[in-house]
Structure formats: C-alpha cells, structure tokens
Amino acid sequence: MTTAPRRIDVHQHLLPPLYRDALAKAGITEAGGRALPGWSAEAALEAMDLLGTETAILSVSTPGTGFLGDPDEAAGLARRLNDFSAAVAAEHPARLGWFATLPMPDVEAAAKEAERALAELGADGVTLLANSQSAYLGADGQDPLWRVLDEHGAVVFVHPADLPAPAVDGIPPFAADFLLDTTRAAYLLVRNGIPRRHPNIRFVLSHGGGFLPYASHRMAVALAGEIGRSPLDVLDDFRGFYFDTALSSSPAALPTLLAFARPGHVLFGSDWPFAPAAAGQYFASGLDAGVDPGTLTAINRTNAEALFPRLAGGTPAPTPPRPLPARLRRSARRAAARLVFKLVRPGTD
C-alpha cells in the first residue's frame, strides 16, 4: 500500500460568497484571465484528498481588496474576509489554515489588519499581492507594515496580480504576466533591502518565484551595479525567499528551482481551485517523479512544518472513510494523471 504524502499545500485559494458578491457588484467575473471558479470547504477537502494533501493554507487570490477605490470599503472587506477565513479554518483545524487578506495599498490600514489577524484571529500569515493598484511590494512608504510583520515573525505569501499595464491580446495574464509580476516584487524587495532590514519576515513567492530562479544571476548583476553591492550578496538575498511549486513542478522548471533555492525553501502548492484538479494532479505527478524521496518529503511537508510549527509532527489528520466506488474513482484519477504526465513529459522519447 502506498503511503499518502501528507502534503502541506501553501498555495490554495478560497472564494467566500461575500467576496464573490463584492466582485460581482464591481462587474468582476474573472481573475488573471480565468473565470472565477466555484469554491466550498467541502470541495476543497475533496481536492486535497485527491492530491494527498493533509493541510492547506487558504488565501484570497487577486484582486484581493484592490478593486475597491474607497480605502474604508477595502479595509472593511479585508476584515470580513479574515473573519470568514478564521471561521472556516476553525471548523477544520487539522486540515485548513489561512493567510490574512490585507487592504493594500493603504499601508496603515494593512498594518492594523495584519496586527488583528495575527494577534487576535490566529492567522498563519498574510497574503500580499505583488502589486496593488500599481504600487509594488518593496516600494517606499511601506515600513509600518514591514515592522508589524517583522515583530510577529510573519510568513508573507506573495501572490501575483494583473500587471499595471494593458494585457496583450492573446496572452492571458495568468499564463505569463503573473510570473513577471512576482519577479518584479522580488526584485524591488531585495533592491530596497526589505529582507535585510526585517529578517524575521519569511516571504513565500508563488509559482516557483516567477522568473526569479531562471533570471537571478542576470538580475543580481544589474542590481549590484545599481546599489553597489556584490552580485553574490544579491543572489544570497534572492535565495532567502521561499518558493511554492504551484504549476511549477515541470521537468523544465523544477530542476532550475531546486538548483537555485536554499535547502528547505521549496514548498508544495497546488493553486486550487484556479488551477483545476487535473492540472494539480499533473504537476503533483511531476514533483513525485522528479525528485528523490528525501527531497520529496521535504517539499511535501517538512519544509512547511518549519514555517508553521503548529503543523509539525503529530498523527495524520483523520479523514472520513469514503465509499468504495469513490475510492476507486480517486485511484483511477491519480493513475490517469501519472500516465498523462509520462506521455507528455519532454525528453522521454
């Protein structure tokens, strides 16, 4: 019998009804060029079981609260989203955690809500979009937020948003622009010394860090010439980020990520439900087939346990037994995903 991987998924989203209603009121029906998917806690748990995920840390994806022009409305929506997320996680404490939504780019309001979410609601960390209303992470004027997050030793999940520029016809933002958005934020965070001035913050970059691992040396040389630091120092700062594997554990991307990231800094991610279950299975199969057992265990679980000590150790979370037909269907879907990955994997001819 194959042992379940007990993955900890740091990149899984939720779309509460109150959020969907707010987006609909603003005429928003998609995110990053993808239609808003359905979501429920029950569907999340079913998807987790399919991937062998024991615990998922939920977050609100783009556009967050940034679509609201009124700062008070944005702060109010963030509070309601965080109250909802805390309640959902409380119903499934062994299976679900959550990252707090912050009403950026209002730095003072974001700092206040971060304090509430971390100190009072028990959030596992916070979500920050790479840019909010064109204001990128790492820009001037964000120190009040960084101080609060540093004081709490917070995990900051950095998720991409639409670029502050028109999309290119034929290229959906999630396919390419999102990767650039994350890369821009990482560049500015390092350029302006945020990780060095606030060393207790642990930044997790979505989707394997965008283009950062691939372009890190090129960017380090550019930054070294601008700020007068050694390229090796800049690379060390880049490698200090954490990275999730959501849509990024392909035979092309995974070796680059593992060659670049510090040991212990790669975490499992699925991007469900924006990435449908079939996509999650495909990339999970790529991870399962692409690394040695020790590395796989670290990515699936133990690296995340270091960031979220409450999830460390213990016995597997109990899951209610499923009827035999449901178990057979799940097993068949997993086998099909492994087969598809082998058939389309490059370099196997």
Side-chain angles (χ1 to χ4, degrees):
M1 179 181 293
T2 302
T3 303
R6 298 186 64 201
R7 306 187 209 265
I8 297 174
D9 185 350
V10 303
H11 188 155
Q12 188 177 133
H13 297 300
L14 77 166
L15 290 93
L18 69 95
Y19 183 55
R20 192 181 294 273
D21 290 345
L23 293 175
K25 185 177 179 180
I28 298 172
T29 60
E30 62 178 34
R34 294 188 69 94
L36 297 176
W39 178 87
S40 69
E42 293 73 20
L45 294 173
E46 183 176 346
M48 290 163 60
D49 291 344
L50 183 63
L51 292 180
T53 298
E54 181 169 302
T55 305
I57 312 297
L58 304 177
S59 58
V60 172
S61 185
T62 184
T65 65
F67 67 96
L68 294 170
D70 185 319
D72 290 338
E73 288 187 20
L77 178 58
R79 287 192 296 270
R80 293 193 299 276
L81 286 170
N82 293 333
D83 290 341
F84 181 95
S85 299
V88 168
E91 291 177 2
H92 308 277
R95 306 292 317 267
L96 299 177
W98 62 288
F99 290 128
T101 299
L102 302 184
M104 290 290 276
D106 186 333
V107 173
E108 296 292 343
K112 181 179 179 181
E113 183 59 18
E115 179 68 34
R116 187 183 83 96
L118 294 168
E120 299 178 21
L121 300 182
D124 291 295
V126 304
T127 303
L128 289 174
L129 297 182
N131 91 87
S132 298
Q133 298 180 11
S134 302
Y136 271 91
L137 299 183
D140 292 340
Q142 297 172 354
D143 281 347
L145 175 59
W146 302 133
R147 284 195 295 268
V148 168
L149 297 175
D150 188 74
E151 289 169 1
H152 284 278
V155 176
V156 175
F157 177 63
V158 178
H159 192 278
D162 287 348
L163 295 176
V168 176
D169 288 344
I171 304 178
F174 78 87
D177 294 354
F178 272 16
L179 303 176
L180 176 57
D181 199 49
T182 301
T183 306
R184 286 178 169 183
Y187 188 100
L188 283 176
L189 286 167
V190 168
R191 177 190 181 276
N192 293 331
I194 305 305
R196 292 202 167 215
R197 296 206 310 272
H198 303 282
N200 296 320
I201 301 174
R202 281 75 54 81
F203 290 95
V204 179
L205 303 183
S206 302
H207 303 297
F211 301 130
L212 176 59
Y214 185 82
S216 56
H217 288 253
R218 174 176 178 153
M219 295 196 303
V221 169
L223 266 178
E226 180 184 358
I227 63 178
R229 289 174 51 203
S230 161
L232 295 180
D233 281 347
V234 176
L235 281 171
D236 193 52
D237 286 351
F238 283 147
R239 295 181 70 234
F241 292 119
Y242 290 77
F243 307 86
D244 77 50
T245 64
L247 304 181
S248 302
S249 49
S250 70
L254 186 59
T256 301
L257 176 59
L258 294 176
F260 175 74
R262 284 182 187 168
H265 280 228
V266 179
L267 314 166
F268 178 77
S270 71
D271 203 11
W272 189 88
F274 285 93
Q281 287 179 277
Y282 173 85
F283 284 99
S285 295
L287 177 62
D288 293 342
V291 298
D292 63 85
T295 301
L296 180 61
T297 298
I299 294 173
N300 277 341
R301 184 168 187 90
T302 56
N303 292 346
E305 288 180 331
L307 286 180
F308 309 103
R310 74 176 184 85
L311 302 179
T315 57
T319 56
R322 294 179 177 273
L324 179 60
R327 297 200 303 272
L328 292 175
R329 285 195 299 271
R330 185 174 66 184
S331 178
R333 290 171 69 185
R334 285 177 172 172
R338 288 193 294 269
L339 176 60
V340 169
F341 182 82
K342 289 179 180 179
L343 290 174
V344 303
R345 182 176 181 176
T348 56
D349 293 339

